[in-house]
Amino acid sequence: MNVINKADAFQHPFLDGSTKRMYIDGKWVEARSGKTFATYNPATGKVIAQVAEGDAADIDLAVAAARRAFEGPWSRFKPADRQRLLLKLADLVEADMENLATLDTLDMGAPITRTRGNRARAVGMLRYYAGQATSIHGETIENSLPGQIFSYTLKEPVGVVGAIIPWNGPLTASIWKLGPVLATGCTVVLKPAEEAPLTPLRLAELCEEAGVPPGVVNVVPGHGETAGAALASHMGVDKVAFTGSHLTGQKIIRASAGNLKRVSLELGGKSPDIVFADADMAAAVPGAGMAVFSNSGQICSAGTRLFVEEKIYEEFTERVAEFSRSLKVGNGLDPDTQVGPLVSSEQLDRVSGYLKVGKEEGARALSGGARLTDGDYADGYFIPPTVFGNVRDEMRIAQEEIFGPVLSAIPFTDIDEVISRGNNTSFGLGSGVWTQDVGKAHKLAKGLRAGSVWINCYQAMDPAVPFGGYKMSGYGRESGVQHVEEYLNVKAVWIKTE
Ligand code: ADP
């Protein structure tokens, strides 16, 4: 478990030692306050850049610019013009992918194989939204009123969007907001997470290069309680598209009340992953492991509650533990790394706290279980993949979102029982089922209350397939035609023709 290729502060073309400015109205500007904040490489604990720290004053400027752009020349862009822009941006992202991937890895720690592997998804999303740009249409609707009165609907962009994103996948999270904005003719003020603001800023450079008009895309880095809160409550914002924790999601809803802005929320989860004794073990063992250990468990739909049919519980959990021990933990820049560090020292403390809680509650760590501190691990935020056995439903590690590489394995005996226990959570984002019995698969697909059910796979994603939550995992869908609809208003038009 060596850490090689140690991240060096200024080895990336984007990281030239200058303070990274924010992007408002087509210009690269300092914060009004002049303040900056540091962003860190979680593999080394070192500062990699200073970034302009936006707050309410900068959000005001960005929202005003987004409003002017929305009402200005951008409103006269035809669908095919917006499509061309998205296709150009897709080409630029594709050409810059190595830079973008390295920036994601440096800023939030994910293995470079993962961030490079986002190429198809990032570029595919932009091309998918390019297709959507020319597919937006209203309907003609036959009504039953007397006489000749004709009715049809128009689909119109909702307006200025405040996009607030987390740090666990800065490139794809940014594109998940920019794509529908550009497809529909909205404008956006994007607030990256304070832990990982760099890739969204690089993406703004690419938007500029693609010819996105000034004010259409604005990127204002800053803290959640200041810049984020100002955006969520801003009276000039028509919609907030938020991805993050459910606690912040609740604050966003409260903050949105002032002008009753539209809100879409993609929040946390505590997703069940259910393994039957008839599953293909060769697929289910690594599948169930990576359902949690991908991105060091920092994925909202991670399959963290592993329900295993009792008769294979001991054997299966031991095999997942063995698999987890085989994973190479290290600096994300090392191409052999499979599990990178956690994003920050706060996240390290939080996850370490849960490891302690799990043991105190009587769970047994079959693998991992404590922070890595030897040698090159010492300065980074490394927690090894951890499999907890002896877990009961009511334990905190089986109830609360940990957002780290921590799996809780729980036995079950019966299909109806596991559906009900799987659903016994306030969340409903992802879920997994491993079985070769098609009847069980369909029963689970219907019975699980979650936005995605993955059968004999986990975390499959595609730009055309909607993703989102039930219950406290949020509302609204990203990807698919449903996503574009979230950025459109429906207007009914009536024409009396006699
Ligand atoms: P996490 O725990 O994953 O960091 P958060 O929900 O705290 O999740 O953060 C997700 C995003 O929400 C970040 O961009 C963060 O800055 C922002 N944020 C945090 N608090 C607020 C808030 N009160 N209002 C608006 N945005 C916020």
Side-chain angles (χ1 to χ4, degrees), residues 164-165 167 191-195 224 228-229 242-245 248 251-252:
I164 302 176
I165 60 167
W167 43 262
K191 209 291 286 169
E194 45 274 61
E195 293 87 347
F242 173 74
T243 307
S245 64
T248 306
K251 289 185 194 164
I252 302 266

Side-chain angles (χ1 to χ4, degrees), residues 359-444:
K359 289 172 199 160
E360 284 167 4
E361 286 179 315
R364 196 158 64 88
L366 304 174
S367 63
R371 179 187 178 183
L372 300 174
T373 50
D374 289 350
D376 286 331
Y377 291 124
D379 299 325
Y381 313 132
F382 294 97
I383 297 271
T386 297
V387 174
F388 271 126
N390 263 2
V391 181
R392 293 186 313 278
D393 294 5
E394 66 277 14
M395 290 181 177
R396 280 183 62 199
I397 56 166
Q399 297 274 333
E400 297 172 21
E401 186 174 38
I402 299 175
F403 231 61
V406 183
L407 180 157
S408 297
I410 313 167
F412 76 91
T413 49
D414 167 72
I415 186 165
D416 291 317
E417 164 214 331
V418 80
I419 291 174
S420 130
R421 288 169 64 197
N423 287 336
N424 189 15
T425 162
S426 49
F427 296 111
L429 193 56
S431 59
V433 181
W434 301 85
T435 179
Q436 299 193 66
D437 177 336
V438 72
K440 277 183 200 156
H442 281 295
K443 183 160 184 178
L444 271 287

